[in-house]
Amino acid sequence: MRNAPTILHLDMDAFYASVEQASKPSLRGKAVIVGGLGPRGVVATASYEARVFGVHSAMPMAQARRLAPNAAYLVPRFGIYRDVSEQVMGLLRELSPLVEPLSLDEAFVDLEAGGAAWDAESARLVGARLRADIRAVTGLAGSVGLAASKMLAKIASEQAKPDGLVLIEPGTERALLGPMSVRTLPGVGPATGDHLRRAGIHTVEEIAEAGEDELVRLLGKAHGHALHAMALAQDERPVVAEREAKSVSVEDTYDVDIHDRVRVGLEVQRLADRCVRRLRGAGLSGRTIVLKVRRYDFSTLTRSETLRGPTDDPAVVREAAARLLDAVDTTGGVRLLGVGVSGLADYTQEDLFAQAAGAAEAAGAAGERGEYAEEEGGHEEAAEERRDVSVERRWVAGHDVRHVEYGHGWVQGSGLGRVTVRFETPGSEPGRVRTFRVDDPGLEGADPLPLVAGRSEGAVTGAGGAGVSDAGEAEVGLTEAKGGGLGEAPAVSG
């Protein structure tokens, strides 16, 4: 371990909820919960005002609604979260070439590697300036921890929450860690914590006193050695600028179990296409296709197939996923499906036969749906039905819209053929609420506005599209947000 607190850990405070509050003046200072709105949705982030009621991340949304019935419930807008995250990460990269992002809202920074800090005083000044810069650029608050190791820097940022800075002076680590719960240490989850509790070990100091041999006996060699070292405040892990991705995957959880085998197959094909878009977006390809199926009884099956060479061809991935699905019994219903690609590479080895077959299949399917006939003016009723579905799916709670008369706003809720919109912008006063028919010709989806005036790079596209769960993303109930119908209370108050 180094002898100066020059490793910085930044954790943005209630990130998703804070972005929503910054972009929606009517929600500032109020309980905001972001996540899946369907019966099986989970909380992605809860604002500090919502946490007062006991709401926290990963909690079932139904439980959150019972605890905080008057909170604002919003569907995630991952486009703007990623954009704001890039602004924050850009500020971190100005401090050092060694920035290790852990997620959209947290990262480690080696200040010494960038020459930004060399002792406690300079590190504290950098941390304070970083927090001020983040607020100036994004309007958001972030908590900063500074220490001589990654483990301690992360513990310090937790102590700094919300909107603070904590520096752990070298030499004080053991005294600080001693009385803390064993769950404070990385890698100690509920199962390990319960195992230690049954052995009479409750604090970090008691881990150190138990000794390495006892921990190895209780937890195994690798875990026991690592845990004992951490209890002694020993952590030599470096800040790593680039962490190689091991897989790319997407998955959806469904509000109602899918029983129709044809529908299951179509969902798998759709997930395969989304997975390939992510794969290509990262400039990667992969050899192993993975299918994940969670059935009605919560049993989860995973099947995989390894190809002759890496690919980023959607037809190849679709066909492999379909073959894997053929071997899975979906009798009784499916509640979750996922498609992933592993064995990643940065080049492809095309399967021309599968590509040609996929193109022919797509053309045949398009002809069956009447898409070519539509171009010639046929199948008007089918086309109209699809347009109605797309309009209905556009109005997702929390997402951005624009009206020709009233300007920019966001969806408070939709249902029963109506959509409720609050018209306001990040720099305005709390706006007025109006209700429209879902097919109102004056209303359309819009890009999010920058959180801070003058920063047009904050705009992102696709905000009006339907949100669905990817790895780490909450599932979305597209038409279940309350308050969209005439005569109903809006989805959020105030």
Side-chain angles (χ1 to χ4, degrees), residues 6 111 116-127 129:
T6 53
L111 299 178
W118 49 91
D119 58 13
E121 183 179 359
S122 59
R124 189 183 298 275
L125 288 173
V126 169
R129 186 171 69 249

Side-chain angles (χ1 to χ4, degrees), residues 173-456:
E173 298 94 345
R174 287 287 303 276
L176 174 73
L177 287 175
M180 292 184 174
S181 165
V182 296
R183 293 289 302 276
T184 303
L185 299 180
V188 181
T192 302
D194 190 54
H195 202 53
L196 292 171
R197 181 186 59 79
R198 289 198 299 270
I201 300 173
H202 301 86
T203 66
V204 175
E205 183 59 33
E206 288 171 344
I207 290 179
E209 292 173 352
E212 189 171 3
D213 292 341
E214 176 66 9
L215 292 171
V216 168
R217 186 185 68 81
L218 288 172
L219 305 174
K221 187 174 181 179
H223 202 181
H225 282 309
L227 196 59
H228 186 256
M230 288 189 290
L232 298 177
Q234 297 172 0
D235 178 19
E236 302 295 338
R237 295 174 300 159
V239 176
V240 180
E242 296 294 337
R243 298 195 301 172
E244 184 178 355
K246 296 181 179 179
S247 65
V248 173
S249 64
V250 297
E251 63 183 42
D252 280 355
T253 301
Y254 304 98
D255 293 340
V256 178
D257 291 346
I258 303 176
H259 294 83
D260 182 1
R261 182 75 179 188
V262 174
R263 166 85 188 283
V264 173
L266 291 173
E267 289 294 317
V268 168
Q269 301 295 290
R270 183 178 62 82
L271 288 167
D273 287 341
R274 282 175 49 207
C275 183
V276 169
R277 286 198 296 271
R278 279 195 162 195
L279 196 68
R280 288 181 168 180
L284 297 170
S285 59
R287 295 184 66 231
T288 301
I289 313 303
V290 181
L291 175 70
K292 177 180 177 182
V293 180
R294 181 167 296 151
R295 298 187 291 190
Y296 70 99
D297 58 357
F298 287 90
S299 61
T300 303
L301 304 177
T302 303
R303 300 288 184 267
S304 64
E305 174 182 322
T306 299
L307 307 174
R308 294 192 300 272
T311 184
D312 64 353
D313 184 348
V316 175
V317 177
R318 281 197 303 266
E319 288 196 356
R323 287 193 296 270
L324 295 171
L325 180 62
D326 288 340
V328 176
D329 180 11
T330 59
T331 304
V334 170
R335 61 185 292 121
L336 177 146
L337 291 168
V339 174
V341 177
S342 60
L344 300 182
D346 57 2
Y347 66 95
T348 63
Q349 181 174 315
E350 303 293 354
D351 185 332
L352 298 180
F353 292 105
Q355 189 173 28
E361 179 183 348
E368 289 177 7
R369 291 194 302 267
E371 290 180 3
Y372 298 132
E374 281 177 43
E375 293 177 0
E376 298 171 2
H379 292 270
E380 293 85 358
E381 292 181 1
E384 186 63 35
E385 180 181 352
R386 279 193 294 279
R387 281 195 293 272
D388 288 345
V389 170
S390 67
V391 168
E392 183 72 25
R393 288 173 61 86
R394 182 186 303 163
W395 313 129
V396 183
H399 283 215
D400 298 79
V401 294
R402 176 170 294 279
H403 192 272
V404 292
E405 181 179 353
Y406 302 109
H408 192 93
W410 57 277
V411 176
Q412 285 203 198
S414 64
L416 302 179
R418 297 290 185 270
V419 55
T420 301
V421 178
R422 184 181 288 273
F423 290 97
E424 59 186 4
T425 65
S428 73
E429 296 295 321
R432 298 188 61 182
V433 175
R434 298 183 182 275
T435 298
F436 308 89
R437 293 185 60 84
V438 295
D439 57 356
D440 189 310
L443 191 66
E444 62 181 3
D447 294 339
L449 297 176
L451 301 184
V452 176
R455 296 190 174 271
S456 59

Side-chain angles (χ1 to χ4, degrees), residues 101-118:
L102 303 179
S103 63
L104 290 178
D105 60 340
E106 65 173 315
F108 288 110
V109 185
D110 188 335
L111 299 178
E112 188 175 303
W118 49 91

